Amino acid sequence: MRPTTLGSLLLLAGFACLANALNPDSGPWVQATQGEPWPLPTFRRIGNAYYQLRPSTFQFNVIAETCDIVVDAIERYKAIILTEARIAKIASQGHSRSSRDNSTSRGTLTALDIRLAEACEKDGNHWPHLYMKESYTLSISESSTVANLAADSVWGVLRGLDTFSQLLFPANDGPNLKIRCQSIVDWPKLPHRGLLLDTSRHYLPIHDILLTLDAMSYNKLNVLHWHIVDDNSFPYQSPRYPDLSIRGAYHPTMVYTLNDIQKIVDYARLRGIRVMPEFDTPGHTRSWGLAYPELLTACYDSNGKPTGKLGPMNPTNPYLYEFLRNLFSEIVRAFPDQYVHLGGDEVPFDCWQSNPNVTAYMLAHNMSRNFALLEGEYIAKVLRIADSLEANAIVWQEVFDNGVVMPKNTVVHVWTGVWSQELEMATKAGHPVLLSACWYLDNIAGGGDWKKFYKCDPLAFNSTKNTTNLMLGGEACMWGEFVDKNNVHPRIWPRASAAAERLWSDSKQDEFKAAQRLEEHACRMNRRGIPAQPPNGSGFCVT
């Protein structure tokens, strides 16, 4: 799927980030670790011995249950290990010095036995879902040349395979690799660990979305929040309402068909990633009005004359809800995830206030001039549509802040303000929550600004035991105003890796050790074809 030239360049950019530096803030460069996983495992015990691994003869053995997800993953990680071996061979040819290693060689690791306890399709859970089991145990024992990976579900197998692949580092002996003897018991701190992609401000080609899914899997992120449409363009191709994209997309080639969506959803499934769509309403909908202006509110000037401009959706138009029901019915068929994001943020009330039909409707329905009540009526109707389609709803925090009455299971997505207070209020009101406020990737503070994302603890809010259980997780957000296919990947990675670790790992390293690990991880992603930018002020990836 990726251009050959890009892949070749990234292969040459990769390998063992070797350096001599001490403190990343004071030394000449950051010394990368070797064979350290990202994110941090929950429990890890490292021994004093190691094995060599010969990629040409190493085997993956599936014991007991298997399915297409496991088979596909094994082939992917075989290819990754062979790539590591190719680059290790290149690196070893120029290797002039070796670091002191007091550990003991236990010979050659011959295989990884994979034990999956339950079938992939058990209870219909062959699609990734919110509370999927992602725990696994991984053992590289000094007493056996066969490593063991065990998990209750296929999703744990995926996470364990990636950890195993990250433990490998060059042996400085041709294409051979090394792995330390160790045992890992690992599970995620929070179930929803996401990345938002915005394809409205700038269209992203399909292969860039697939590449993003690859990178997410290398960071144990498990939700692609697809902010697919907005004011700027409407690239979703609706079979029932094709004019939405015919008139609303930037260009006929810049649309996502149902076949495209199926390809992306299937690709994500094989990596244990949910694809959750967002169709933001009633604001952020100018592109909808290019094809269906009657859905939006006509704005008036101070003299009561139409300005020719259109505002948010017109909640007093009964046809609007029939339209939304038809559109969302096809959306939930296209996206198998149990959640749909309904938006609800940044709704400007001035156009509603200027429209005499809207104000007359409000007067007739005892709303006075409280436009939050009008918004609440709209959101309530859309929530009922989602519920009738058996879809769970997520809304941006303004819906909650404006006092809209929502079912308790409506998820509140916090993105602005004093986020700890927002989380506290929403959970005390009984709503599940997601956090993004501290992980906005479009807010850049210099090249190595990952540390500000790493400092954010999603559980750092006043809570009781019950409200803590309502914290589902969070998402790093890559809004698309100033990114497209040319710069979106280095803008995301490895900055989103910092959020990924805070969502997966219970423990948090000091910034010095984390910087060393992230230096290795960024180079590791480079070797896997992800154009991640350098995380620190200095450092290098040696081929």
Side-chain angles (χ1 to χ4, degrees), residues 24 49 93 96 111 148 164 186 216 262 277 314 342 348 392 400 460 489 493 505 540:
Q93 292 170 355
S96 59
N148 285 278
F164 177 80
D186 200 11
M216 290 176 65
Q262 185 66 53
N314 184 351
L342 301 176
N392 297 321
F400 173 76
H489 303 294
W493 310 108
S505 306
F540 58 93

Side-chain angles (χ1 to χ4, degrees), residues 1 19 79 97 133 140 170 218 223 232 275 307 332 351 378 430 442 447 520 540-541:
M1 293 302 300
R97 59 183 179 178
K133 300 175 184 176
I140 301 97
Y218 305 148
V223 182
N232 312 79
V275 181
T307 63
V332 298
C351 187
Y378 169 85
D442 54 318
E520 178 186 11
F540 58 93
C541 301

Side-chain angles (χ1 to χ4, degrees), residues 2 6-15 17 83-84 87 211 218 489-490 493-494 518-535 540-542:
R2 289 166 225 132
L6 174 62
S8 301
L9 288 172
L10 290 170
L11 283 177
L12 294 175
F15 198 58
C17 297
T83 297
E84 295 279 1
I87 303 174
L211 185 60
Y218 305 148
H489 303 294
W493 310 108
L518 192 57
E519 191 75 21
E520 178 186 11
H521 187 54
C523 292
R524 180 189 296 131
M525 286 193 284
N526 289 170
R527 298 195 298 274
R528 297 184 183 191
I530 310 301
Q533 72 175 28
F540 58 93
C541 301
V542 179

Side-chain angles (χ1 to χ4, degrees), residues 127-145:
W127 286 102
H129 52 283
L130 177 61
Y131 290 110
M132 56 185 168
K133 300 175 184 176
E134 297 176 277
S135 60
Y136 65 92
T137 61
L138 179 61
S139 175
I140 301 97
S141 170
E142 295 185 20
S143 61
S144 173
T145 59

Side-chain angles (χ1 to χ4, degrees), residues 73-137:
I74 288 173
E75 291 306 309
R76 287 201 314 275
Y77 284 100
K78 279 182 181 177
I80 284 172
I81 291 174
L82 288 173
T83 297
E84 295 279 1
R86 269 198 316 274
I87 303 174
K89 183 177 181 180
I90 296 171
S92 70
Q93 292 170 355
H95 187 73
S96 59
R97 59 183 179 178
S98 59
S99 57
R100 181 175 296 176
D101 188 351
N102 295 322
S103 57
T104 303
S105 172
R106 306 301 296 181
T108 300
L109 192 71
T110 60
L112 175 67
D113 283 356
I114 301 169
R115 289 176 170 82
L116 173 59
E118 60 186 40
C120 299
E121 292 78 16
K122 184 178 179 181
D123 300 325
N125 290 334
H126 59 288
W127 286 102
H129 52 283
L130 177 61
Y131 290 110
M132 56 185 168
K133 300 175 184 176
E134 297 176 277
S135 60
Y136 65 92
T137 61

Side-chain angles (χ1 to χ4, degrees), residues 353-414:
Q353 186 175 1
S354 74
N355 186 293
N357 296 323
V358 171
T359 54
Y361 175 91
M362 294 177 66
L363 184 62
H365 290 77
N366 299 316
M367 296 182 188
S368 182
R369 295 184 68 79
N370 186 342
F371 294 94
L373 292 178
L374 183 63
E375 177 194 27
E377 180 182 87
Y378 169 85
I379 294 292
K381 290 180 179 179
V382 176
L383 286 171
R384 285 197 291 272
I385 290 172
D387 184 64
S388 71
L389 297 171
E390 299 182 344
N392 297 321
I394 301 175
V395 296
W396 293 110
Q397 72 184 64
E398 287 95 325
V399 177
F400 173 76
D401 292 343
N402 290 340
V404 176
V405 178
M406 302 178 290
K408 292 290 188 185
N409 64 351
T410 305
V411 181
V412 176
H413 195 166
V414 174

Side-chain angles (χ1 to χ4, degrees), residues 48 81 128 212 247 249-250 276 394 435 521:
N48 293 318
I81 291 174
T212 300
R247 296 181 180 274
Y250 284 131
M276 179 183 73
I394 301 175
L435 175 64
H521 187 54

